Amino acid sequence: MTLSWSVNRKIFISSLFLLFIYLSPNIFFLEDAKYLVGDNLNQHIPINKILVETESLLVDSKSKVPFLMGGIERAYLKSEFQFPLLIYKIFPIKIAYAVIRVLMHLVAFIGMYFFLMRYIFSEKDIGLISILSLSYATLPFFTNGFLANSFDVP
């Protein structure tokens, strides 16, 4: 049973609104937003912060990064050309984390929407496609993996 175009459109807009509601703590309440403790606050954010604040992003791979294990070589850490590190360089830590989370969930919604529309369902089933895309986009992704790990759900 296929729904009319106006009903499908309303479901699509409603699913985008629900995704916005799901992501709103990351947008509006930056200082008071709650994150899982095991969500990478243990390792990745401090390493990103140290790399950005010590100006160790674009340095030689043999140079030492201070404050990490007594001065670890830069080659043992993540590449400076990863998108999350560049976002951490542009924005403060909490804003960068929120930007990465919002972008990940938006890309997950849009990617699943186009995948389902192209390969699984017909264009007449936009309502069902929107609901399934919303359910995929609200999964808890590993934030510091960014888009490389968006399919890897804990």
Side-chain angles (χ1 to χ4, degrees), residues 53-67:
E53 288 182 353
T54 60
E55 300 295 328
S56 299
L57 282 181
L58 298 171
V59 296
D60 184 38
S61 63
K62 296 290 182 187
S63 64
K64 302 281 185 184
V65 177
F67 309 116

Side-chain angles (χ1 to χ4, degrees), residues 64-73:
K64 302 281 185 184
V65 177
F67 309 116
L68 286 175
M69 293 189 249
I72 191 171
E73 288 184 8

Side-chain angles (χ1 to χ4, degrees), residues 66-134:
F67 309 116
L68 286 175
M69 293 189 249
I72 191 171
E73 288 184 8
R74 177 67 180 94
Y76 294 116
L77 300 172
K78 60 175 80 171
S79 170
E80 60 269 6
F81 297 114
Q82 289 185 350
F83 185 74
L85 269 179
L86 298 176
I87 293 294
Y88 281 111
K89 180 74 174 165
I90 296 170
F91 297 110
I93 296 297
K94 285 192 175 184
I95 294 174
Y97 188 80
V99 165
I100 290 170
R101 276 183 62 105
V102 168
L103 282 176
M104 256 183 47
H105 289 283
L106 286 176
V107 168
F109 179 82
I110 293 169
M112 184 56 78
Y113 181 82
F114 285 122
F115 171 75
L116 291 174
M117 183 180 285
R118 184 169 184 181
Y119 294 111
I120 308 296
F121 298 106
S122 66
E123 290 185 11
K124 296 179 279 186
D125 298 326
I126 292 177
L128 180 61
I129 292 170
S130 300
I131 292 170
L132 291 174
S133 299
L134 176 66

